[in-house]
Amino acid sequence: MSNQFATGKRAIAECDICGFRYKLKDLKPLVIKTKVVNLLACSTCWSPDHPQLQLGMYPVNDPQDLRNPRRDTTYEVSGTLANGNLGEGSRVIQWGWAPVGGSINPDQLLTPNYIRSTLYLGSVTVAVT
């Protein structure tokens, strides 16, 4: 019984990507998303199956939320600060140049500003011997 197909030692075929002619044995099959598609490509046009094309094929567990979150109770828990003002717990961070808050007296209760600067001037004497 003979073979169903010819050996193709000298068979010529076109690259399905660029259209140039090559020997059939030099063309490689393309693989997209781990599936062999019915396309043959030359060595210039052929590229391996890229992992980014496989997005969505495998389950990804990336939780962002908590199931039963609770409110932040440290807002009132921290008590009073050393200067007598009510502390803000985990929200006591004020930083930056000219931070928001404490701009005028009516706003003092709504947006307090606890950042204070202290300046000391003095003199330094340098003796060279």
Side-chain angles (χ1 to χ4, degrees), residues 16-85:
D16 291 327
I17 308 301
C18 64
F20 288 119
R21 297 178 86 182
Y22 293 93
K23 289 184 178 179
L24 180 61
K25 66 178 184 172
D26 293 339
L27 297 178
K28 297 181 189 179
L30 283 179
V31 178
I32 298 174
K33 284 188 147 185
T34 68
K35 304 267 190 279
V36 179
V37 293
N38 193 19
L39 294 175
L40 294 176
C42 62
S43 60
T44 308
C45 298
W46 185 85
S47 61
D49 192 17
H50 200 278
Q52 283 186 339
L53 296 177
Q54 298 174 9
L55 293 176
M57 292 183 65
Y58 304 104
V60 176
N61 186 14
D62 188 18
Q64 299 291 322
D65 300 334
L66 295 175
R67 181 168 299 212
N68 294 317
R70 298 291 179 242
R71 66 182 189 91
D72 185 12
T73 57
T74 61
Y75 189 74
E76 298 293 334
V77 172
S78 68
T80 56
L81 300 175
N83 59 5
N85 294 324

Side-chain angles (χ1 to χ4, degrees), residues 1-5:
M1 189 181 247
S2 65
N3 251 347
Q4 224 176 351
F5 299 104

